[in-house]
Amino acid sequence: MNRIMENQDQVIIEKPEGPNRKEQLDNYFQYVIQAIKDPDHLLSDEVKGKHQFGLITLIAFLGLVLLSNLVGIFQYLDALRYLGFSDYFDYFDRTISYGVTLALLILFFKNNASKIDNRYDLNFFFEKFGALLAIPSLLLLLSIPLELLDVTIYLWFSSLAYTLLYLSVFMISYLYVAKNNIKTAIFYVAGFYFVYQIVSLIL
């Protein structure tokens, strides 16, 4: 009888563990899958503690931007042999421009949003931006082999990826910084665009 009662207690204790295990994201692959299938979970106002995965996604996105631009070097290699380093550098400036602009934007968002909620630190924005940039990163990853194979549809994937980048800026602005203010969120997106263009001109 005692053994039956103990077994019942174990069942009662063990039951809640199932859903908790399901919500845990033990590796980066699970994080990306959830960011694609259920982004609402990661984009809630709660801190999920997945800023490392978000930062990896941010870096991966910039790496894929660089890689997609470097594909052009292989396509025009014969012509580029006669050009100087500055011409090669043109293939890096988009990545650097996006990297600098995203870094400035995240710092700006952190400084403004932390006045609203002290949970809105750098790690918070790494986590949320990472969740939103999972799909754009995947689209860039798909566009690279298509561009190498000279399949013109690669432009659809890459264009959509950059469109979703700007949509990500809007979503972060609207959800956490502008707090449901569409006009201010659009202003932040416009600011992101102009800062990117200015950095590109400087480079």
Side-chain angles (χ1 to χ4, degrees), residues 129 132-133 136 160-175 185 189 192:
F129 261 116
L132 285 169
L133 289 180
L160 181 57
Y162 292 116
T163 301
L164 290 177
L165 168 63
Y166 285 91
L167 181 60
S168 300
V169 174
F170 175 82
M171 289 295 294
I172 295 292
S173 306
Y174 183 76
L175 291 174
V189 175
F192 177 81

Side-chain angles (χ1 to χ4, degrees), residues 100-143:
V100 170
T101 308
L102 279 170
L104 292 173
L105 181 72
I106 291 173
L107 286 172
F108 178 80
F109 279 177
K110 179 259 180 187
N111 289 332
N112 283 272
S114 60
K115 300 172 185 176
I116 303 171
D117 192 323
N118 58 13
R119 295 174 303 162
Y120 293 170
D121 58 4
L122 288 176
N123 289 336
F124 179 88
F125 286 105
F126 288 151
E127 180 179 290
K128 305 310 176 184
F129 261 116
L132 285 169
L133 289 180
I135 293 178
S137 298
L138 181 62
L139 290 170
L140 283 178
L141 185 63
L142 290 172
S143 72

Side-chain angles (χ1 to χ4, degrees), residues 70-203:
L70 289 177
V71 169
I73 291 179
F74 296 101
Q75 292 182 334
Y76 303 104
L77 190 58
D78 291 336
L80 287 172
R81 285 173 183 167
Y82 302 99
L83 303 176
F85 173 76
S86 60
D87 299 281
Y88 283 93
F89 184 76
D90 290 340
Y91 289 88
F92 295 85
D93 65 357
R94 174 182 278 189
T95 306
I96 297 171
S97 299
Y98 274 128
V100 170
T101 308
L102 279 170
L104 292 173
L105 181 72
I106 291 173
L107 286 172
F108 178 80
F109 279 177
K110 179 259 180 187
N111 289 332
N112 283 272
S114 60
K115 300 172 185 176
I116 303 171
D117 192 323
N118 58 13
R119 295 174 303 162
Y120 293 170
D121 58 4
L122 288 176
N123 289 336
F124 179 88
F125 286 105
F126 288 151
E127 180 179 290
K128 305 310 176 184
F129 261 116
L132 285 169
L133 289 180
I135 293 178
S137 298
L138 181 62
L139 290 170
L140 283 178
L141 185 63
L142 290 172
S143 72
I144 291 170
L146 292 175
E147 186 175 0
L148 284 171
L149 295 172
D150 201 21
V151 180
T152 54
I153 198 175
Y154 81 88
L155 288 170
W156 297 5
F157 291 100
S158 59
S159 297
L160 181 57
Y162 292 116
T163 301
L164 290 177
L165 168 63
Y166 285 91
L167 181 60
S168 300
V169 174
F170 175 82
M171 289 295 294
I172 295 292
S173 306
Y174 183 76
L175 291 174
Y176 311 116
V177 185
K179 282 295 182 181
N180 303 324
N181 188 322
I182 293 178
K183 185 189 295 186
T184 305
I186 292 174
F187 174 79
Y188 286 142
V189 175
F192 177 81
Y193 172 79
F194 284 116
V195 171
Y196 167 76
Q197 295 296 337
I198 291 170
V199 174
S200 295
L201 285 174
I202 293 172
L203 294 176

Side-chain angles (χ1 to χ4, degrees), residues 38-48 119-120 124 127-128 131 172 175-176 179:
D38 186 21
D40 291 340
H41 173 75
L42 293 172
L43 291 174
S44 69
D45 207 36
E46 300 175 4
V47 180
K48 304 295 182 182
R119 295 174 303 162
Y120 293 170
F124 179 88
E127 180 179 290
K128 305 310 176 184
I172 295 292
L175 291 174
Y176 311 116
K179 282 295 182 181

